[in-house]
Amino acid sequence: MTEPELKNIWNLYADLWKMFLQHHTARTDEEWEKLTKRAAEIVQQYGEDVRSLVLDTLELIEKRCKG
């Protein structure tokens, strides 16, 4: 794996962490809309191959917010 590929993976996980950090307390419909918009942006930025990681992160946030 090349250095740029590794950096891209690092950036992906950093973006997922930032999304989690910013939205881990989402409760309202408006907050969930912002979260899902950000998730879609991450998939668009990094490609369809990362969709499962994004969905796992969304599921983690949902479990923590909704009990």
Side-chain angles (χ1 to χ4, degrees):
M1 190 170 271
T2 66
E3 189 67 30
E5 290 171 327
L6 288 171
K7 185 174 182 180
N8 194 48
I9 291 171
W10 171 265
N11 289 333
L12 166 62
Y13 279 101
D15 284 342
L16 290 172
W17 169 244
K18 290 173 193 173
M19 182 179 77
F20 179 86
L21 196 58
Q22 291 172 348
H23 299 284
H24 73 279
T25 59
R27 300 262 191 251
T28 67
D29 287 343
E30 183 180 330
E31 290 171 327
W32 278 100
E33 285 178 29
K34 288 179 183 177
L35 170 57
T36 56
K37 181 182 177 197
R38 180 62 188 129
E41 291 169 354
I42 291 172
V43 171
Q44 185 176 20
Q45 179 179 353
Y46 292 97
E48 285 295 319
D49 290 344
V50 306
R51 184 175 294 278
S52 62
L53 290 172
V54 173
L55 290 173
D56 286 344
T57 306
L58 288 172
E59 184 178 353
L60 180 61
I61 293 168
E62 182 178 32
K63 285 179 181 178
R64 294 189 180 264
C65 290
K66 296 184 178 179

